[in-house]
């Protein structure tokens, strides 16, 4: 039986403040044979949430990747209580993997902050960048690839390569692609020569968007927050490639360095439809900075994840005009 999303981000307690992932992390959306960063973030969030007071909810994850994680070793989490007040709690989580020599190497460190659930006294929300179609009016990946092939926008090889690289996402989320977004027109850059309807925009004004909802049961708040952390890592480190007619074969290095996931509601239900928009804002010094925002189906901004990533273009590659 295939693992569920809840299984993939689950941890088991093995000691005081010590947790270990139930499963090995998976690979997804990376040119290198390393684990998907969302696995590490989701597992870390799960461990942190299990130590928080029940009257508080997660509102912030600030993390740094210290190195890639292997897909053949479980993730070990050490959780330290940093702050416990009536209104707030803070946990430091160190995520590590055991090496062949028996020593542990740190993959990530993060701070998780929790806030007591309070009555709302002020509420507003920014809108999405565009009036995107409803999820039922957007194609899934299989239909999208067929449509792009029929238009001559992508080749059969490009479609298969993209489906292989990101196929694991379909095990955990149903995704519907907003076809006015860049990534739905060029398969996130896999078909990098494809002309998109946003080519007249500066790279910082281009946007990609998808509707997504989790598959399988997410029965607890911990499950849902962990699933949110898993999802929000996706598609940001290489977004400057997706939005500028480039792909992994143009890079010498492309992976996340740090992230800030901010959650604006006390509870999330990841099995409901959510719309995710992604934009990139800056590149320089061989680093890039991008953001993903998540709205619920009623137009409320639920979460934001910003990432700074290493972005080294290979020698000899001509960078398209931005």
């Amino acid at each position: 039986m295939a693992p569920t999303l809840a299984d993939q981000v689950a941890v088991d307690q093995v000691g005081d403040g010590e947790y270990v992932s139930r499963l090995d992390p998976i690979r997804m959306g990376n040119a290198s044979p390393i684990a998907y960063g969302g696995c590490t973030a989701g597992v870390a969030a799960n461990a942190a949430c299990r130590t928080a007071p029940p009257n508080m909810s997660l509102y912030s994850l600030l993390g740094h990747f210290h190195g890639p994680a292997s897909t053949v070793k479980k993730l070990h989490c050490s959780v330290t209580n940093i702050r416990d007040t009536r209104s707030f709690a803070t946990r430091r989580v160190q995520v590590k993997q055991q090496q062949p020599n028996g020593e542990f190497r740190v993959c990530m460190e993060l701070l998780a902050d929790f806030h007591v659930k309070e009555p709302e006294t002020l509420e507003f929300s920014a809108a999405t960048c565009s009036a995107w179609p409803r999820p039922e009016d957007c194609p899934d990946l299989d239909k999208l690839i067929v449509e792009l092939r029929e238009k001559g926008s992508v080749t059969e090889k490009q479609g298969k390569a993209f489906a292989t690289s990101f196929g694991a996402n379909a095990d955990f989320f149903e995704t519907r692609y907003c076809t006015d977004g860049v990534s739905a027109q060029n398969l996130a850059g896999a078909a990098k020569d494809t002309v998109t309807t946003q080519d007249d925009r500066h790279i910082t004004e281009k946007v990609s968007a998808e509707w997504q909802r989790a598959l399988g049961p997410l029965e607890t708040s911990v499950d849902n927050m962990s699933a949110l952390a898993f999802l929000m890592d996706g598609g940001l480190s290489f977004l400057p490639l997706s939005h500028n007619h480039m792909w992994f074969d143009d890079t010498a290095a492309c992976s996340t360095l740090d992230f800030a996931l901010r959650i604006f509601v006390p509870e999330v239900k990841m099995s409901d439809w959510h719309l995710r928009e992604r934009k990139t804002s800056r590149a320089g010094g061989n680093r890039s900075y991008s953001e993903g925002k998540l709205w619920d189906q009623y137009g409320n901004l639920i979460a934001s994840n910003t990432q700074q990533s290493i972005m080294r273009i290979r020698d000899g590659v001509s960078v398209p005009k931005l």
Side-chain angles (χ1 to χ4, degrees):
M1 183 176 178
T4 65
L5 177 56
D7 291 331
Q8 190 62 61
V9 295
V11 298
D12 296 307
Q13 188 168 7
V14 294
D16 186 17
E18 299 294 329
Y19 300 83
V20 63
S21 65
R22 194 163 297 168
L23 301 174
D24 293 340
I26 62 169
R27 178 184 176 186
M28 184 172 67
N30 198 300
S32 302
I34 58 177
Y36 168 54
C39 280
T40 311
V43 164
N46 197 300
C49 287
R50 292 188 180 280
T51 72
N55 65 333
M56 294 189 179
S57 61
L58 180 68
Y59 78 91
S60 174
L61 285 178
L62 306 178
H64 286 78
F65 288 93
H66 289 193
S70 167
T71 57
V72 296
K73 295 285 186 179
K74 291 186 176 181
L75 298 165
H76 294 254
C77 300
S78 298
V79 183
T80 304
N81 290 19
I82 301 300
R83 172 177 61 162
D84 284 288
T85 69
R86 286 181 297 177
S87 296
F88 297 98
T90 302
R91 302 291 183 261
R92 178 185 293 126
V93 184
Q94 187 179 77
V95 186
K96 50 203 172 185
Q97 286 183 316
Q98 192 169 25
Q99 304 303 296
N101 62 4
E103 296 182 356
F104 283 86
R105 183 180 63 80
V106 176
C107 307
M108 172 195 285
E109 289 200 48
L110 64 75
L111 290 178
D113 280 278
F114 301 83
H115 181 201
V116 71
K117 299 172 185 177
E118 300 184 15
E120 292 182 349
T121 57
L122 176 67
E123 183 180 8
F124 58 87
S125 175
T128 57
C129 291
S130 177
W132 304 103
R134 300 174 303 173
E136 56 265 34
D137 297 325
C138 298
D140 61 15
L141 181 58
D142 290 339
K143 185 177 180 181
L144 176 67
I145 291 176
V146 169
E147 292 176 352
L148 292 176
R149 286 187 60 195
E150 289 176 347
K151 291 194 300 183
S153 299
V154 305
T155 65
E156 181 179 3
K157 181 179 179 181
Q158 289 169 333
K160 287 182 177 179
F162 181 83
T164 299
S165 181
F166 294 89
N169 184 69
D171 294 333
F172 303 126
F173 287 92
E174 180 180 0
T175 303
R176 299 298 182 92
Y177 294 83
C178 298
T179 54
D180 287 339
V182 175
S183 290
Q185 298 178 45
N186 66 4
L187 291 183
K192 61 183 178 182
D193 295 325
T194 298
V195 176
T196 77
T197 57
Q198 296 187 33
D199 276 5
D200 60 330
R201 303 182 188 181
H202 188 266
I203 187 173
T204 59
E205 296 301 319
K206 295 179 181 181
V207 59
S208 292
E210 305 86 24
W211 287 97
Q212 293 181 296
R213 63 179 175 185
L215 301 172
L218 295 169
E219 297 177 351
T220 68
S221 175
V222 173
D223 290 343
N224 278 278
M225 288 297 184
S226 304
L228 174 66
F230 180 99
L231 172 68
M232 293 300 287
D233 178 79
L236 290 180
S237 65
F238 58 87
L239 192 63
L241 305 176
S242 305
H243 285 187
N244 199 39
H245 296 283
M246 303 179 78
W247 193 230
F248 288 124
D249 57 356
D250 294 313
T251 67
C254 174
S255 59
T256 306
L257 297 172
D258 61 63
F259 68 93
L261 173 60
R262 294 183 171 92
I263 304 160
F264 308 125
V265 292
E267 299 288 342
V268 294
K269 294 183 178 180
M270 297 305 294
S271 57
D272 292 343
W273 281 116
H274 289 83
L275 177 75
R276 188 163 63 117
E277 285 186 344
R278 293 173 291 128
K279 296 182 73 174
T280 188
S281 301
R282 184 71 166 97
N286 282 348
R287 296 189 307 276
S288 64
Y289 179 79
S290 302
E291 180 177 14
K293 292 181 178 179
L294 194 73
W295 282 264
D296 66 16
Q297 55 195 325
Y298 306 107
N300 299 305
L301 183 61
I302 298 300
S304 163
N305 191 42
T306 55
Q307 285 187 1
Q308 190 164 198
S309 303
I310 190 71
M311 178 63 73
R312 296 192 184 108
I313 304 301
R314 284 195 301 108
D315 290 342
V317 171
S318 178
V319 178
K321 183 179 179 181
L322 300 175

